[in-house]
Structure formats: C-alpha cells, structure tokens
Amino acid sequence: MAKAPVNVTVTGAAGQIGYALLFRIASGQLLGADTPVKLRLLEIPQAVKAAEGTAMELDDCAFPLLAGIDIFDDARKAFDGVNVALLVGARPRTKGMERGDLLEANGGIFGPQGEAINAGAADDVRVLVVGNPANTNALIAQAHAPDVPAERFTAMTRLDHNRALSQLAAKLNVTVSDIKKMTIWGNHSATQYPDIFHAEVNGRNAAEAVNDEAWLRDTFIPTVAKRGAAIIEARGASSAASAANAAIDHVYDWVNGTPEGDWTSVALPSDGSYGVPEGLISSFPAVSRNGSWQIVQGLEINEFSRERIDASVRELEEERDAVRKLGLIK
Ligand code: NAD
Ligand code: LMR
C-alpha cells in the first residue's frame, strides 16, 4: 500500500535556503524515495507572493512524490499537523543591531512558532532549526512547546560537520567517505569545536594521521568555525545550497538512521553528557536509532578538546541567560 504523505513545514520558504531546499524535499531526498510529502510553506506576508512563485515552479517539476503545497503567513495554520518542521526563516543581523537586539527579534519569531508547534503538530513531530542563532532559537521554540518532548527540537550543525569532513579529507588527500566519527561540539558559531581526536580515516585515528597540532589549532579549527563568514565574504550572501544540503542530511539520518560504525553531529538538548548543562541545545556526536537521536557516550575528552568545548558551551549559556533576561524563556 502507498505510504501516507508526510507533512513538512518550511519557514522562510521564499528565502535563499528555501529555494535550494524545497525542490530536494519534493524530489524525495529528505525522507526517502518511497515517502510522499505535503509541503506547508510559511512566510511573512510580504514574501507570500515570492513563495507562490516557488510553488509554481515546484508544480512545474511534476515530482511524483509531491502530494500538495499550501502557503501560509500564519504559523498556527502552517504547523497544523506537521511531522517535520524546518525552521529556516529568521531575522538577520542588520547594521547597528546589537546581539541582544538580534536575540530579541528572533525570540519574536521562534516563541510563537514553538507555541504553534505545541498547539497543532503531529505526535511524531521533529523540528530542525536552521535560522540563526540556531541553537538559541531552538531553545526558545522548545521552551514554548511544553507538550512536545524536548529532544524533538534540534538545531543544525551538520553543515559544520560536512565542512570539517571536507577540510580533513583535503589535508589527508582522501575522500570524505574515508572519514568516520567526526564531531562538532557546542554552538553553531565561531566558537564551535570541530574535534578530530575520535575521528577515523580508513580505520586509523585521524589526529594521529594528521600528526600536526599547529595545523589543527591554527588552520583546521578556524577554517571550519569561520567558514560561514568566509562564504558570506566570497558570495555576498550566506551559504544556501550547502545549508539546504545539510538540512536534508540531518533529517534523512534522523528518520532513517545513521550508518553503523559512524556518527554525525547534531545540536540537541543536553542531558548533562560531557559536562554540558542540562537543557542547553548544544552540538554532540550522535547516532539515530529507531527514529531518535542518541548522544554517543563514553568518549575520552583530552585537555585540548575540554577547553574548546567549555568555551563554546559558555557562549551558549550566555545566549540562554540573555534570552532569559529578555523574558523569552523561563
Ligand atoms: P534569506 O534572508 O534569504 O531568507 C529568509 C526568509 O525567511 C525570508 O524569505 C524571510 O521573508 C523569511 N522570514 C523572516 N521571518 C519569518 C517568519 N517569522 N516566518 C516565516 N518566514 C520568515 O535567508 P537564508 O539565506 O535563507 O537563511 C536563513 C537563515 O538560515 C538565516 O538565519 C541564516 O543565518 C541561517 N543559516 C544557518 C545555517 C546553519 O548552518 N545553521 C547555515 C546557513 C544559514
Ligand atoms: C553558515 O554557517 O554558513 C551560516 O550560519 C552563516 C550565517 O551567519 O548565516
């Protein structure tokens, strides 16, 4: 029997990432080649017309798996019955805006979206926040959805993970599929820590294969952590196709499971693992089993890694404290 369509809500659907993402979702790459999808697009009123244009193009692709497209400017309607929520639309930082202003503006988006998810989402809802500051936006949305299990709220560090794979593969002159067990810890920001101490290259420890602490410290870590800014500098706009690709990877693995013998990186609510305060949405090494993320346990954290994980987690705590002060979370 044919599967029932899965409701996928995408916010910021008329934006750059939306344009790179929607066609891949509709073609079956988000959930698998046997799963029909219904797209529910959320935009601000001024961008609804542009979203309608994208919907016309989606129609023109005649995707066999696309079971329908609805467009909304009302979060309650957009998240009604949602199974997979991709929260991409966010308020970008503009000139003269302080960090607090950015957090407050995004609180005005992600608080109500969390409430709408709480009110109308399907029981199996999975949420991925892409819009920046992604970890803290996810925390705000999660705080407004008390009836949804907290672990269903995740933020995206898969792009950072993929960037780390590419940089390491280039250094060692191998392909990305030769590398397993890469980890991004902490915040999706310049403080993130890409960790190769547990990574394996064709079965060999990656840090040993690199055997160059100066490269690790002065080249690899800053290149991965500042890649988003480098793309903005080069392209004049933030990463879009690679961000959409990472969102596809994240949800596909969440739903279908991560391969045996490997893991990926996911920002999810901490259960206190690795000394990350409970509840903070921080990036961890994670596997997906039976449709749920599990943090990989028992990794030994050396001093080099400890101080970098702690620094990124401190930044997440500061963001959490700032949004708490603004009354955006309790
Ligand atoms: P964009 O400006 O091209 O598009 C954003 C869209 O969101 C716009 O169409 C806007 O109208 C819409 N929007 C704004 N407020 C909304 C709301 N309340 N409800 C619904 N839609 C709303 O931006 P983009 O390039 O698509 O990037 C989107 C976000 O993703 C940005 O915050 C960006 O910084 C972030 N990003 C995150 C990662 C990551 O790895 N986590 C990577 C790249 C970009
Ligand atoms: C990225 O990592 O490419 C983006 O998060 C950068 C940004 O600030 O939009």
PDB file of all heavy atoms in Angstrom, residues 127 138 142-143 145-154 254 268-270 279 281:
ATOM      1  N   VAL A 127      11.705  18.675  14.811  1.00  0.00           N
ATOM      2  CA  VAL A 127      11.966  20.071  14.467  1.00  0.00           C
ATOM      3  C   VAL A 127      13.466  20.271  14.250  1.00  0.00           C
ATOM      4  O   VAL A 127      14.273  19.861  15.090  1.00  0.00           O
ATOM      5  CB  VAL A 127      11.502  21.007  15.609  1.00  0.00           C
ATOM      6  CG1 VAL A 127      11.703  22.468  15.222  1.00  0.00           C
ATOM      7  CG2 VAL A 127      10.038  20.736  15.990  1.00  0.00           C
ATOM      8  N   ALA A 138      16.388  27.502  18.719  1.00  0.00           N
ATOM      9  CA  ALA A 138      15.772  26.197  19.015  1.00  0.00           C
ATOM     10  C   ALA A 138      15.376  26.124  20.489  1.00  0.00           C
ATOM     11  O   ALA A 138      14.314  25.587  20.832  1.00  0.00           O
ATOM     12  CB  ALA A 138      16.740  25.069  18.667  1.00  0.00           C
ATOM     13  N   GLN A 142      11.623  25.485  21.736  1.00  0.00           N
ATOM     14  CA  GLN A 142      11.382  24.322  22.610  1.00  0.00           C
ATOM     15  C   GLN A 142      10.719  24.761  23.921  1.00  0.00           C
ATOM     16  O   GLN A 142       9.801  24.094  24.419  1.00  0.00           O
ATOM     17  CB  GLN A 142      12.712  23.603  22.853  1.00  0.00           C
ATOM     18  CG  GLN A 142      12.639  22.326  23.645  1.00  0.00           C
ATOM     19  CD  GLN A 142      12.987  22.561  25.090  1.00  0.00           C
ATOM     20  OE1 GLN A 142      13.971  23.223  25.400  1.00  0.00           O
ATOM     21  NE2 GLN A 142      12.171  22.041  25.984  1.00  0.00           N
ATOM     22  N   ALA A 143      11.171  25.902  24.439  1.00  0.00           N
ATOM     23  CA  ALA A 143      10.617  26.384  25.710  1.00  0.00           C
ATOM     24  C   ALA A 143       9.136  26.750  25.572  1.00  0.00           C
ATOM     25  O   ALA A 143       8.406  26.798  26.566  1.00  0.00           O
ATOM     26  CB  ALA A 143      11.414  27.592  26.194  1.00  0.00           C
ATOM     27  N   ALA A 145       7.030  25.006  23.760  1.00  0.00           N
ATOM     28  CA  ALA A 145       6.290  23.800  23.347  1.00  0.00           C
ATOM     29  C   ALA A 145       6.383  22.737  24.437  1.00  0.00           C
ATOM     30  O   ALA A 145       6.979  21.679  24.237  1.00  0.00           O
ATOM     31  CB  ALA A 145       6.848  23.280  22.027  1.00  0.00           C
ATOM     32  N   PRO A 146       5.793  23.034  25.591  1.00  0.00           N
ATOM     33  CA  PRO A 146       5.963  22.131  26.740  1.00  0.00           C
ATOM     34  C   PRO A 146       5.374  20.733  26.536  1.00  0.00           C
ATOM     35  O   PRO A 146       5.785  19.799  27.224  1.00  0.00           O
ATOM     36  CB  PRO A 146       5.227  22.861  27.878  1.00  0.00           C
ATOM     37  CG  PRO A 146       4.282  23.800  27.186  1.00  0.00           C
ATOM     38  CD  PRO A 146       4.965  24.197  25.911  1.00  0.00           C
ATOM     39  N   ASP A 147       4.440  20.595  25.588  1.00  0.00           N
ATOM     40  CA  ASP A 147       3.806  19.274  25.390  1.00  0.00           C
ATOM     41  C   ASP A 147       4.550  18.396  24.387  1.00  0.00           C
ATOM     42  O   ASP A 147       4.175  17.238  24.175  1.00  0.00           O
ATOM     43  CB  ASP A 147       2.353  19.457  24.915  1.00  0.00           C
ATOM     44  CG  ASP A 147       1.555  20.296  25.895  1.00  0.00           C
ATOM     45  OD1 ASP A 147       1.860  20.230  27.113  1.00  0.00           O
ATOM     46  OD2 ASP A 147       0.657  21.043  25.452  1.00  0.00           O
ATOM     47  N   VAL A 148       5.567  18.969  23.763  1.00  0.00           N
ATOM     48  CA  VAL A 148       6.353  18.189  22.784  1.00  0.00           C
ATOM     49  C   VAL A 148       7.630  17.737  23.499  1.00  0.00           C
ATOM     50  O   VAL A 148       8.272  18.553  24.156  1.00  0.00           O
ATOM     51  CB  VAL A 148       6.720  19.068  21.551  1.00  0.00           C
ATOM     52  CG1 VAL A 148       7.586  18.295  20.572  1.00  0.00           C
ATOM     53  CG2 VAL A 148       5.457  19.593  20.879  1.00  0.00           C
ATOM     54  N   PRO A 149       8.006  16.454  23.387  1.00  0.00           N
ATOM     55  CA  PRO A 149       9.245  16.019  24.034  1.00  0.00           C
ATOM     56  C   PRO A 149      10.419  16.908  23.607  1.00  0.00           C
ATOM     57  O   PRO A 149      10.587  17.183  22.414  1.00  0.00           O
ATOM     58  CB  PRO A 149       9.427  14.583  23.541  1.00  0.00           C
ATOM     59  CG  PRO A 149       8.053  14.136  23.142  1.00  0.00           C
ATOM     60  CD  PRO A 149       7.345  15.366  22.658  1.00  0.00           C
ATOM     61  N   ALA A 150      11.204  17.361  24.592  1.00  0.00           N
ATOM     62  CA  ALA A 150      12.254  18.354  24.313  1.00  0.00           C
ATOM     63  C   ALA A 150      13.227  17.882  23.241  1.00  0.00           C
ATOM     64  O   ALA A 150      13.709  18.680  22.424  1.00  0.00           O
ATOM     65  CB  ALA A 150      13.017  18.672  25.601  1.00  0.00           C
ATOM     66  N   GLU A 151      13.493  16.559  23.204  1.00  0.00           N
ATOM     67  CA  GLU A 151      14.523  16.063  22.280  1.00  0.00           C
ATOM     68  C   GLU A 151      14.084  16.112  20.817  1.00  0.00           C
ATOM     69  O   GLU A 151      14.880  15.842  19.925  1.00  0.00           O
ATOM     70  CB  GLU A 151      14.969  14.648  22.663  1.00  0.00           C
ATOM     71  CG  GLU A 151      13.928  13.562  22.471  1.00  0.00           C
ATOM     72  CD  GLU A 151      12.996  13.363  23.651  1.00  0.00           C
ATOM     73  OE1 GLU A 151      12.986  14.228  24.560  1.00  0.00           O
ATOM     74  OE2 GLU A 151      12.263  12.354  23.665  1.00  0.00           O
ATOM     75  N   ARG A 152      12.817  16.488  20.583  1.00  0.00           N
ATOM     76  CA  ARG A 152      12.369  16.643  19.193  1.00  0.00           C
ATOM     77  C   ARG A 152      12.837  17.977  18.608  1.00  0.00           C
ATOM     78  O   ARG A 152      12.653  18.236  17.422  1.00  0.00           O
ATOM     79  CB  ARG A 152      10.852  16.583  19.106  1.00  0.00           C
ATOM     80  CG  ARG A 152      10.251  15.344  19.677  1.00  0.00           C
ATOM     81  CD  ARG A 152      10.490  14.111  18.804  1.00  0.00           C
ATOM     82  NE  ARG A 152       9.747  13.022  19.380  1.00  0.00           N
ATOM     83  CZ  ARG A 152       8.433  12.895  19.310  1.00  0.00           C
ATOM     84  NH1 ARG A 152       7.729  13.763  18.608  1.00  0.00           N
ATOM     85  NH2 ARG A 152       7.818  11.905  19.904  1.00  0.00           N
ATOM     86  N   PHE A 153      13.417  18.848  19.466  1.00  0.00           N
ATOM     87  CA  PHE A 153      13.908  20.142  18.979  1.00  0.00           C
ATOM     88  C   PHE A 153      15.421  20.060  18.789  1.00  0.00           C
ATOM     89  O   PHE A 153      16.158  19.819  19.734  1.00  0.00           O
ATOM     90  CB  PHE A 153      13.564  21.256  19.967  1.00  0.00           C
ATOM     91  CG  PHE A 153      12.125  21.662  19.878  1.00  0.00           C
ATOM     92  CD1 PHE A 153      11.146  20.944  20.558  1.00  0.00           C
ATOM     93  CD2 PHE A 153      11.741  22.734  19.088  1.00  0.00           C
ATOM     94  CE1 PHE A 153       9.806  21.303  20.453  1.00  0.00           C
ATOM     95  CE2 PHE A 153      10.398  23.097  18.977  1.00  0.00           C
ATOM     96  CZ  PHE A 153       9.431  22.382  19.659  1.00  0.00           C
ATOM     97  N   THR A 154      15.856  20.256  17.551  1.00  0.00           N
ATOM     98  CA  THR A 154      17.287  20.198  17.257  1.00  0.00           C
ATOM     99  C   THR A 154      17.684  21.452  16.481  1.00  0.00           C
ATOM    100  O   THR A 154      16.829  22.127  15.903  1.00  0.00           O
ATOM    101  CB  THR A 154      17.621  18.957  16.394  1.00  0.00           C
ATOM    102  OG1 THR A 154      16.940  19.058  15.138  1.00  0.00           O
ATOM    103  CG2 THR A 154      17.190  17.660  17.093  1.00  0.00           C
ATOM    104  N   TRP A 254      17.990  11.329  10.722  1.00  0.00           N
ATOM    105  CA  TRP A 254      17.127  11.264  11.914  1.00  0.00           C
ATOM    106  C   TRP A 254      16.011  10.237  11.687  1.00  0.00           C
ATOM    107  O   TRP A 254      15.726   9.386  12.517  1.00  0.00           O
ATOM    108  CB  TRP A 254      16.560  12.655  12.175  1.00  0.00           C
ATOM    109  CG  TRP A 254      15.905  12.894  13.502  1.00  0.00           C
ATOM    110  CD1 TRP A 254      15.641  11.961  14.485  1.00  0.00           C
ATOM    111  CD2 TRP A 254      15.453  14.153  14.013  1.00  0.00           C
ATOM    112  NE1 TRP A 254      15.049  12.578  15.556  1.00  0.00           N
ATOM    113  CE2 TRP A 254      14.918  13.917  15.288  1.00  0.00           C
ATOM    114  CE3 TRP A 254      15.419  15.457  13.516  1.00  0.00           C
ATOM    115  CZ2 TRP A 254      14.372  14.952  16.075  1.00  0.00           C
ATOM    116  CZ3 TRP A 254      14.885  16.478  14.286  1.00  0.00           C
ATOM    117  CH2 TRP A 254      14.364  16.220  15.552  1.00  0.00           C
ATOM    118  N   LEU A 268      21.364  19.257  20.095  1.00  0.00           N
ATOM    119  CA  LEU A 268      20.119  18.791  20.739  1.00  0.00           C
ATOM    120  C   LEU A 268      20.170  19.080  22.226  1.00  0.00           C
ATOM    121  O   LEU A 268      21.249  19.376  22.763  1.00  0.00           O
ATOM    122  CB  LEU A 268      19.886  17.306  20.440  1.00  0.00           C
ATOM    123  CG  LEU A 268      21.050  16.324  20.486  1.00  0.00           C
ATOM    124  CD1 LEU A 268      21.451  15.990  21.883  1.00  0.00           C
ATOM    125  CD2 LEU A 268      20.646  15.054  19.751  1.00  0.00           C
ATOM    126  N   PRO A 269      19.012  19.025  22.902  1.00  0.00           N
ATOM    127  CA  PRO A 269      19.007  19.399  24.320  1.00  0.00           C
ATOM    128  C   PRO A 269      19.918  18.470  25.125  1.00  0.00           C
ATOM    129  O   PRO A 269      19.777  17.252  25.055  1.00  0.00           O
ATOM    130  CB  PRO A 269      17.535  19.217  24.728  1.00  0.00           C
ATOM    131  CG  PRO A 269      16.762  19.253  23.458  1.00  0.00           C
ATOM    132  CD  PRO A 269      17.666  18.676  22.411  1.00  0.00           C
ATOM    133  N   SER A 270      20.838  19.069  25.861  1.00  0.00           N
ATOM    134  CA  SER A 270      21.797  18.262  26.627  1.00  0.00           C
ATOM    135  C   SER A 270      21.093  17.529  27.759  1.00  0.00           C
ATOM    136  O   SER A 270      20.200  18.064  28.414  1.00  0.00           O
ATOM    137  CB  SER A 270      22.882  19.165  27.208  1.00  0.00           C
ATOM    138  OG  SER A 270      23.732  18.397  28.028  1.00  0.00           O
ATOM    139  N   GLY A 279      19.697  20.724  29.247  1.00  0.00           N
ATOM    140  CA  GLY A 279      18.716  21.613  28.613  1.00  0.00           C
ATOM    141  C   GLY A 279      19.312  22.509  27.556  1.00  0.00           C
ATOM    142  O   GLY A 279      18.613  22.922  26.624  1.00  0.00           O
ATOM    143  N   ILE A 281      20.890  23.618  24.200  1.00  0.00           N
ATOM    144  CA  ILE A 281      20.891  22.938  22.901  1.00  0.00           C
ATOM    145  C   ILE A 281      22.291  23.098  22.302  1.00  0.00           C
ATOM    146  O   ILE A 281      22.646  24.148  21.781  1.00  0.00           O
ATOM    147  CB  ILE A 281      19.755  23.455  22.001  1.00  0.00           C
ATOM    148  CG1 ILE A 281      18.417  23.143  22.712  1.00  0.00           C
ATOM    149  CG2 ILE A 281      19.836  22.821  20.599  1.00  0.00           C
ATOM    150  CD1 ILE A 281      17.182  23.205  21.888  1.00  0.00           C
TER     151      ILE A 281
END
